Amino acid sequence: MIARLGKNVSDAFGNFLYATGFLFNLVKESALFLRRRQVGFRVLVMQLLFTAVEAMGIIALISLGLGAVIVVQGISILPKFGQGKLIYTILLIVITRELGPLLTAFVIIARSGTAIATELGNMVISHEIEAYVSVGINPISYLAVPRFLGVTLSMVLLTIYFNLFGLFGSYVVTQFITPIQLQDYFHNLLGVMSVADIASSLIKALVFGVLISFTAIYQGFKVRVSTTEIPQVAIKAVGQGFVLCILADAVITLIYYV
Amino acid sequence: MESLIELQSVTVHSQEHISLDEVSVAFPPNRSTVIMGPSGSGKSLLLKVAAAIIPPDSGRVLMYGKNLQRLGQKELLGFRRSSGFMFQDAALWENKTIFENLALPIQFHSPRRSSEEIENRIRKLLNTMNLLDSLTLRPAALSEGERKIVSFLRAIVLDPQILFLDEPTPSIDHQLLEKMLGMIKTLNEKGCTIIAVTHDAHLTSMIANHLVVLKDGRVLEAAGIAEVRRSANREVIEILTQVLSEAATYDTDILDLLEE
């Protein structure tokens, strides 16, 4: 039993070292992406289309819904305590600092994380990765880097988009409950908004993007010989993506307040 | 003669068993080497290790005496530019059209080549194999034989100096097979080194100057074809008889069926 425990610890440490090396390689190749003659630029554009553009509908729906719910709840409860103005602070905290980046991350994990892990896993099984190596194309720079950059950039852009829709959606809902001038609404909102709020949101988006894309790519490349490994790595990409994003969210929020 | 590619004590483990066991073999330049052996003997793996697609767990792979694992980026790209690999299962890029499958290696290695030049090259190659209609199709729309031909065309699209062929002939119809064999022979006559894994007696008789016989991940014999034929090693004789007679029997069966 002790031997098995020792082996598990040793394997876990080995995997951690391998994953760290893989991330370092990915970041290094990403830094060189724009400098090199790249046939992978088209892959980056396709990734942006899939991850960012195609997800705009669902992100808009979620953020509008969330903004509406916060306003309805806030306007119903807060005035009873004489804290009606707090609605703007709550909107900012919930949408911009917390749920905006996190819900966007969940959508990207569900759509792109699974897609990337599955696609790369299939490519390993069908020897497409070996085919890239055989013609001299580095699979990290051609397949992984555009996905890494595409997902990370999409995560940042979609978070901004989520925030705008969430805050605008809450204004639309406000009109049905207690009509207010657009100018007044945004004046109140901007009055409680700080640079730190925006920075926190963008930093979270960036970190989540790196974590989601790295996890999905790493899991995809971990497939070895069998198609039965593909659903397993897709599930791991989702599970690990969620866990890492929530942990990172907690850490960044702690740093913000401490 | 100095070897073009040489494997020195190469061992590869896959899934906790030894697939190649201390393999040492040399491939001479400008010649055709055929690797033979029973199924599961490690032939395809040996070919991929020789092509520096799969790194060995131990041992060295040398090209003109230089360790392929330690080549710099430029030298490695040079090696890739001058070599082509045809996969047993075609390994075409499924999310790309046939045109894109053939164009990508050229675009990568020769970014200054005009798109017109690239298209002409690809059209010419596909036309030779009666596959011009497939230009805009995805690999999934092709038959297995057609996929193998596209894989072959991808391997030769850069006019390689070394051509690695992994079971190139199965699933391809007779007419196209003859064309493909003709192209392989022409490439060899122009000085291209060919290293092929095959069970095909016809291909072997057409191109082989050199034979490597493999069993259970070990090299039993590696020599000129005449020497291997004279080999006193019973295992080698058994394997050659078995492998070549299987192919011959299979062909005969097909012919018998056609005659009926």
Side-chain angles (χ1 to χ4, degrees), chain A residues 127-128 130 133 135-136 142, chain B residues 48 80 89 93-94 96 109:
Chain A
H127 301 123
E128 288 180 49
E130 287 180 358
V133 174
V135 298
Y142 183 72
Chain B
K48 285 176 183 174
R80 298 296 185 206
D89 57 358
W93 300 307
E94 298 290 334
K96 297 187 189 303
H109 287 287

Side-chain angles (χ1 to χ4, degrees), chain A residues 38-217:
Chain A
Q38 281 297 334
V39 285
F41 190 72
R42 192 164 160 254
V43 185
L44 173 64
V45 173
M46 296 304 288
Q47 191 62 51
L48 282 169
L49 275 176
F50 174 69
T51 306
V53 178
E54 287 183 17
M56 285 171 83
I58 189 169
I59 293 287
L61 193 69
I62 294 172
S63 58
L64 278 172
L66 183 69
V69 166
I70 294 168
V71 167
V72 171
Q73 299 267 25
I75 288 179
S76 315
I77 299 169
L78 292 173
K80 291 177 186 170
F81 302 97
Q83 298 291 337
K85 285 265 177 186
L86 261 184
I87 185 73
Y88 297 103
T89 311
I90 292 174
L91 267 175
L92 269 179
I93 290 176
V94 176
I95 292 181
T96 308
R97 284 213 314 247
E98 288 305 324
L99 291 186
L102 208 55
L103 288 180
T104 306
F106 287 177
V107 170
I108 290 185
I109 289 169
R111 291 182 81 253
S112 305
T114 48
I116 289 171
T118 308
E119 189 188 13
L120 292 178
N122 271 311
M123 290 174 95
V124 173
I125 298 295
S126 59
H127 301 123
E128 288 180 49
I129 306 286
E130 287 180 358
Y132 280 115
V133 174
S134 78
V135 298
I137 296 176
N138 180 352
I140 299 293
S141 57
Y142 183 72
L143 296 173
V145 167
R147 282 165 176 78
F148 180 69
L149 293 176
V151 168
T152 306
L153 191 59
S154 298
M155 180 67 215
V156 174
L157 295 175
L158 282 178
T159 301
I160 297 169
Y161 179 76
F162 188 107
N163 290 341
L164 292 176
F165 257 83
L167 298 176
F168 181 73
S170 52
Y171 167 74
V172 173
V173 175
T174 312
Q175 296 312 297
F176 294 108
I177 306 169
T178 50
I180 180 173
Q181 286 289 319
L182 182 68
Q183 204 179 342
D184 294 339
Y185 174 81
F186 279 104
H187 181 260
N188 291 335
L189 198 64
L190 292 174
V192 291
M193 187 185 282
S194 66
V195 176
D197 293 323
I198 300 168
S200 162
S201 183
L202 292 180
I203 288 168
K204 279 184 183 177
L206 186 71
V207 173
F208 295 171
V210 168
L211 292 172
I212 294 167
S213 51
F214 165 69
T215 310
I217 292 163

Side-chain angles (χ1 to χ4, degrees), chain B residues 198-211:
Chain B
T198 185
H199 282 160
D200 189 324
H202 183 44
L203 174 65
T204 308
S205 64
M206 256 183 85
I207 62 163
N209 321 111
H210 204 76
L211 266 184

